Amino acid sequence: MKNVFFAHFLLLLTYSANASICQWSGPATGNWNNPANWSCGYVPGVGDTVKLSGNSIELNDLVEIQALIMLQNSTISGTGSLTVS
């Protein structure tokens, strides 16, 4: 039981260390799932805040993020689903 708890604790530490503000840094239009399109260097996830500023993003997967900042002229479209917790 101790090993299971320790493994979960390490997972939480890793998760917390990766949480950040990920700003779209790709082209004006592009695919959400390309890590090169994000300032954080990875596709944003559960603990991340996403910031879009005049971008048109295509989302075709199920994605959950912590927060979303959408400035003027930003859109998210596609067949996917975005959950903001």
Side-chain angles (χ1 to χ4, degrees):
M1 187 68 159
K2 287 182 183 179
N3 288 340
V4 172
F5 173 76
F6 186 68
H8 286 291
F9 180 70
L10 286 178
L11 179 61
L12 288 173
L13 286 178
T14 302
Y15 166 75
S16 297
N18 286 336
S20 65
I21 294 179
C22 295
Q23 184 165 339
W24 183 265
S25 60
T29 61
N31 189 311
W32 179 288
N33 289 318
N34 183 348
N37 288 334
W38 297 102
S39 64
C40 54
Y42 60 89
V43 177
V46 175
D48 298 313
T49 296
V50 168
K51 183 176 180 183
L52 304 176
S53 179
N55 310 106
S56 296
I57 312 303
E58 184 177 343
L59 177 66
N60 292 317
D61 286 325
L62 302 176
V63 175
E64 183 176 351
I65 58 174
Q66 181 177 352
L68 176 63
I69 302 166
M70 288 185 74
L71 302 178
Q72 64 186 19
N73 301 321
S74 296
T75 61
I76 300 173
S77 60
T79 60
S81 175
L82 178 63
T83 302
V84 180
S85 56

